[in-house]
mmCIF file with all atom_site columns, all heavy atoms in Angstrom:
data_model
loop_
_atom_site.group_PDB
_atom_site.id
_atom_site.type_symbol
_atom_site.label_atom_id
_atom_site.label_alt_id
_atom_site.label_comp_id
_atom_site.label_asym_id
_atom_site.label_entity_id
_atom_site.label_seq_id
_atom_site.pdbx_PDB_ins_code
_atom_site.Cartn_x
_atom_site.Cartn_y
_atom_site.Cartn_z
_atom_site.occupancy
_atom_site.B_iso_or_equiv
_atom_site.pdbx_formal_charge
_atom_site.auth_seq_id
_atom_site.auth_comp_id
_atom_site.auth_asym_id
_atom_site.auth_atom_id
_atom_site.pdbx_PDB_model_num
ATOM 1   N N   . ALA A 1 51 ? -33.746 6.265  13.124 1.00 0.00 ? 51 ALA A N   1
ATOM 2   C CA  . ALA A 1 51 ? -33.276 5.423  14.224 1.00 0.00 ? 51 ALA A CA  1
ATOM 3   C C   . ALA A 1 51 ? -31.761 5.268  14.183 1.00 0.00 ? 51 ALA A C   1
ATOM 4   O O   . ALA A 1 51 ? -31.108 5.166  15.223 1.00 0.00 ? 51 ALA A O   1
ATOM 5   C CB  . ALA A 1 51 ? -33.964 4.061  14.184 1.00 0.00 ? 51 ALA A CB  1
ATOM 6   N N   . VAL A 1 52 ? -31.180 5.273  12.977 1.00 0.00 ? 52 VAL A N   1
ATOM 7   C CA  . VAL A 1 52 ? -29.726 5.206  12.820 1.00 0.00 ? 52 VAL A CA  1
ATOM 8   C C   . VAL A 1 52 ? -29.095 6.511  13.313 1.00 0.00 ? 52 VAL A C   1
ATOM 9   O O   . VAL A 1 52 ? -28.093 6.496  14.032 1.00 0.00 ? 52 VAL A O   1
ATOM 10  C CB  . VAL A 1 52 ? -29.358 4.920  11.343 1.00 0.00 ? 52 VAL A CB  1
ATOM 11  C CG1 . VAL A 1 52 ? -27.895 5.173  11.082 1.00 0.00 ? 52 VAL A CG1 1
ATOM 12  C CG2 . VAL A 1 52 ? -29.740 3.486  10.987 1.00 0.00 ? 52 VAL A CG2 1
ATOM 13  N N   . VAL A 1 53 ? -29.691 7.639  12.946 1.00 0.00 ? 53 VAL A N   1
ATOM 14  C CA  . VAL A 1 53 ? -29.204 8.949  13.413 1.00 0.00 ? 53 VAL A CA  1
ATOM 15  C C   . VAL A 1 53 ? -29.214 8.978  14.944 1.00 0.00 ? 53 VAL A C   1
ATOM 16  O O   . VAL A 1 53 ? -28.237 9.385  15.589 1.00 0.00 ? 53 VAL A O   1
ATOM 17  C CB  . VAL A 1 53 ? -30.055 10.098 12.826 1.00 0.00 ? 53 VAL A CB  1
ATOM 18  C CG1 . VAL A 1 53 ? -29.655 11.442 13.435 1.00 0.00 ? 53 VAL A CG1 1
ATOM 19  C CG2 . VAL A 1 53 ? -29.924 10.143 11.306 1.00 0.00 ? 53 VAL A CG2 1
ATOM 20  N N   . GLU A 1 54 ? -30.320 8.510  15.542 1.00 0.00 ? 54 GLU A N   1
ATOM 21  C CA  . GLU A 1 54 ? -30.455 8.507  17.003 1.00 0.00 ? 54 GLU A CA  1
ATOM 22  C C   . GLU A 1 54 ? -29.441 7.574  17.657 1.00 0.00 ? 54 GLU A C   1
ATOM 23  O O   . GLU A 1 54 ? -28.807 7.924  18.662 1.00 0.00 ? 54 GLU A O   1
ATOM 24  C CB  . GLU A 1 54 ? -31.882 8.107  17.388 1.00 0.00 ? 54 GLU A CB  1
ATOM 25  C CG  . GLU A 1 54 ? -32.137 8.171  18.882 1.00 0.00 ? 54 GLU A CG  1
ATOM 26  C CD  . GLU A 1 54 ? -33.558 7.789  19.270 1.00 0.00 ? 54 GLU A CD  1
ATOM 27  O OE1 . GLU A 1 54 ? -34.461 7.792  18.411 1.00 0.00 ? 54 GLU A OE1 1
ATOM 28  O OE2 . GLU A 1 54 ? -33.762 7.477  20.457 1.00 0.00 ? 54 GLU A OE2 1
ATOM 29  N N   . ALA A 1 55 ? -29.266 6.380  17.100 1.00 0.00 ? 55 ALA A N   1
ATOM 30  C CA  . ALA A 1 55 ? -28.335 5.404  17.677 1.00 0.00 ? 55 ALA A CA  1
ATOM 31  C C   . ALA A 1 55 ? -26.901 5.925  17.652 1.00 0.00 ? 55 ALA A C   1
ATOM 32  O O   . ALA A 1 55 ? -26.140 5.715  18.601 1.00 0.00 ? 55 ALA A O   1
ATOM 33  C CB  . ALA A 1 55 ? -28.432 4.074  16.933 1.00 0.00 ? 55 ALA A CB  1
ATOM 34  N N   . LEU A 1 56 ? -26.521 6.615  16.590 1.00 0.00 ? 56 LEU A N   1
ATOM 35  C CA  . LEU A 1 56 ? -25.165 7.174  16.523 1.00 0.00 ? 56 LEU A CA  1
ATOM 36  C C   . LEU A 1 56 ? -25.024 8.370  17.456 1.00 0.00 ? 56 LEU A C   1
ATOM 37  O O   . LEU A 1 56 ? -23.966 8.560  18.064 1.00 0.00 ? 56 LEU A O   1
ATOM 38  C CB  . LEU A 1 56 ? -24.809 7.561  15.088 1.00 0.00 ? 56 LEU A CB  1
ATOM 39  C CG  . LEU A 1 56 ? -24.441 6.367  14.197 1.00 0.00 ? 56 LEU A CG  1
ATOM 40  C CD1 . LEU A 1 56 ? -24.235 6.816  12.760 1.00 0.00 ? 56 LEU A CD1 1
ATOM 41  C CD2 . LEU A 1 56 ? -23.209 5.638  14.700 1.00 0.00 ? 56 LEU A CD2 1
ATOM 42  N N   . ALA A 1 57 ? -26.084 9.170  17.588 1.00 0.00 ? 57 ALA A N   1
ATOM 43  C CA  . ALA A 1 57 ? -26.033 10.313 18.505 1.00 0.00 ? 57 ALA A CA  1
ATOM 44  C C   . ALA A 1 57 ? -25.771 9.836  19.935 1.00 0.00 ? 57 ALA A C   1
ATOM 45  O O   . ALA A 1 57 ? -25.074 10.517 20.705 1.00 0.00 ? 57 ALA A O   1
ATOM 46  C CB  . ALA A 1 57 ? -27.331 11.111 18.426 1.00 0.00 ? 57 ALA A CB  1
ATOM 47  N N   . GLU A 1 58 ? -26.272 8.657  20.276 1.00 0.00 ? 58 GLU A N   1
ATOM 48  C CA  . GLU A 1 58 ? -26.053 8.102  21.617 1.00 0.00 ? 58 GLU A CA  1
ATOM 49  C C   . GLU A 1 58 ? -24.579 7.846  21.906 1.00 0.00 ? 58 GLU A C   1
ATOM 50  O O   . GLU A 1 58 ? -24.179 7.820  23.069 1.00 0.00 ? 58 GLU A O   1
ATOM 51  C CB  . GLU A 1 58 ? -26.828 6.786  21.776 1.00 0.00 ? 58 GLU A CB  1
ATOM 52  C CG  . GLU A 1 58 ? -28.327 6.950  21.816 1.00 0.00 ? 58 GLU A CG  1
ATOM 53  C CD  . GLU A 1 58 ? -29.074 5.627  21.867 1.00 0.00 ? 58 GLU A CD  1
ATOM 54  O OE1 . GLU A 1 58 ? -28.443 4.545  21.708 1.00 0.00 ? 58 GLU A OE1 1
ATOM 55  O OE2 . GLU A 1 58 ? -30.292 5.668  22.054 1.00 0.00 ? 58 GLU A OE2 1
ATOM 56  N N   . VAL A 1 59 ? -23.790 7.645  20.866 1.00 0.00 ? 59 VAL A N   1
ATOM 57  C CA  . VAL A 1 59 ? -22.352 7.414  21.066 1.00 0.00 ? 59 VAL A CA  1
ATOM 58  C C   . VAL A 1 59 ? -21.527 8.624  20.619 1.00 0.00 ? 59 VAL A C   1
ATOM 59  O O   . VAL A 1 59 ? -20.331 8.529  20.381 1.00 0.00 ? 59 VAL A O   1
ATOM 60  C CB  . VAL A 1 59 ? -21.872 6.110  20.376 1.00 0.00 ? 59 VAL A CB  1
ATOM 61  C CG1 . VAL A 1 59 ? -22.528 4.903  21.020 1.00 0.00 ? 59 VAL A CG1 1
ATOM 62  C CG2 . VAL A 1 59 ? -22.125 6.131  18.878 1.00 0.00 ? 59 VAL A CG2 1
ATOM 63  N N   . GLY A 1 60 ? -22.185 9.769  20.494 1.00 0.00 ? 60 GLY A N   1
ATOM 64  C CA  . GLY A 1 60 ? -21.479 11.019 20.231 1.00 0.00 ? 60 GLY A CA  1
ATOM 65  C C   . GLY A 1 60 ? -21.135 11.290 18.782 1.00 0.00 ? 60 GLY A C   1
ATOM 66  O O   . GLY A 1 60 ? -20.250 12.090 18.494 1.00 0.00 ? 60 GLY A O   1
ATOM 67  N N   . ILE A 1 61 ? -21.827 10.641 17.838 1.00 0.00 ? 61 ILE A N   1
ATOM 68  C CA  . ILE A 1 61 ? -21.564 10.872 16.416 1.00 0.00 ? 61 ILE A CA  1
ATOM 69  C C   . ILE A 1 61 ? -22.826 11.455 15.782 1.00 0.00 ? 61 ILE A C   1
ATOM 70  O O   . ILE A 1 61 ? -23.894 10.854 15.843 1.00 0.00 ? 61 ILE A O   1
ATOM 71  C CB  . ILE A 1 61 ? -21.152 9.567  15.702 1.00 0.00 ? 61 ILE A CB  1
ATOM 72  C CG1 . ILE A 1 61 ? -19.879 8.989  16.333 1.00 0.00 ? 61 ILE A CG1 1
ATOM 73  C CG2 . ILE A 1 61 ? -20.943 9.825  14.206 1.00 0.00 ? 61 ILE A CG2 1
ATOM 74  C CD1 . ILE A 1 61 ? -19.482 7.631  15.788 1.00 0.00 ? 61 ILE A CD1 1
ATOM 75  N N   . ASP A 1 62 ? -22.675 12.624 15.178 1.00 0.00 ? 62 ASP A N   1
ATOM 76  C CA  . ASP A 1 62 ? -23.817 13.321 14.569 1.00 0.00 ? 62 ASP A CA  1
ATOM 77  C C   . ASP A 1 62 ? -23.799 13.136 13.055 1.00 0.00 ? 62 ASP A C   1
ATOM 78  O O   . ASP A 1 62 ? -22.913 13.638 12.379 1.00 0.00 ? 62 ASP A O   1
ATOM 79  C CB  . ASP A 1 62 ? -23.754 14.810 14.913 1.00 0.00 ? 62 ASP A CB  1
ATOM 80  C CG  . ASP A 1 62 ? -24.898 15.613 14.312 1.00 0.00 ? 62 ASP A CG  1
ATOM 81  O OD1 . ASP A 1 62 ? -25.854 15.017 13.768 1.00 0.00 ? 62 ASP A OD1 1
ATOM 82  O OD2 . ASP A 1 62 ? -24.833 16.855 14.381 1.00 0.00 ? 62 ASP A OD2 1
ATOM 83  N N   . ILE A 1 63 ? -24.804 12.402 12.529 1.00 0.00 ? 63 ILE A N   1
ATOM 84  C CA  . ILE A 1 63 ? -24.921 12.260 11.078 1.00 0.00 ? 63 ILE A CA  1
ATOM 85  C C   . ILE A 1 63 ? -26.233 12.881 10.580 1.00 0.00 ? 63 ILE A C   1
ATOM 86  O O   . ILE A 1 63 ? -26.688 12.560 9.486  1.00 0.00 ? 63 ILE A O   1
ATOM 87  C CB  . ILE A 1 63 ? -24.799 10.791 10.614 1.00 0.00 ? 63 ILE A CB  1
ATOM 88  C CG1 . ILE A 1 63 ? -25.942 9.922  11.139 1.00 0.00 ? 63 ILE A CG1 1
ATOM 89  C CG2 . ILE A 1 63 ? -23.440 10.210 10.963 1.00 0.00 ? 63 ILE A CG2 1
ATOM 90  C CD1 . ILE A 1 63 ? -26.095 8.604  10.392 1.00 0.00 ? 63 ILE A CD1 1
ATOM 91  N N   . SER A 1 64 ? -26.793 13.771 11.377 1.00 0.00 ? 64 SER A N   1
ATOM 92  C CA  . SER A 1 64 ? -28.096 14.341 11.035 1.00 0.00 ? 64 SER A CA  1
ATOM 93  C C   . SER A 1 64 ? -28.069 15.125 9.724  1.00 0.00 ? 64 SER A C   1
ATOM 94  O O   . SER A 1 64 ? -29.102 15.281 9.077  1.00 0.00 ? 64 SER A O   1
ATOM 95  C CB  . SER A 1 64 ? -28.605 15.234 12.168 1.00 0.00 ? 64 SER A CB  1
ATOM 96  O OG  . SER A 1 64 ? -27.703 16.291 12.415 1.00 0.00 ? 64 SER A OG  1
ATOM 97  N N   . ALA A 1 65 ? -26.899 15.592 9.307  1.00 0.00 ? 65 ALA A N   1
ATOM 98  C CA  . ALA A 1 65 ? -26.802 16.354 8.057  1.00 0.00 ? 65 ALA A CA  1
ATOM 99  C C   . ALA A 1 65 ? -26.490 15.470 6.846  1.00 0.00 ? 65 ALA A C   1
ATOM 100 O O   . ALA A 1 65 ? -26.457 15.954 5.714  1.00 0.00 ? 65 ALA A O   1
ATOM 101 C CB  . ALA A 1 65 ? -25.738 17.443 8.190  1.00 0.00 ? 65 ALA A CB  1
#
Side-chain angles (χ1 to χ4, degrees):
V52 166
V53 173
E54 184 179 342
L56 283 174
E58 291 176 351
V59 295
I61 300 174
D62 180 9
I63 64 163
S64 60

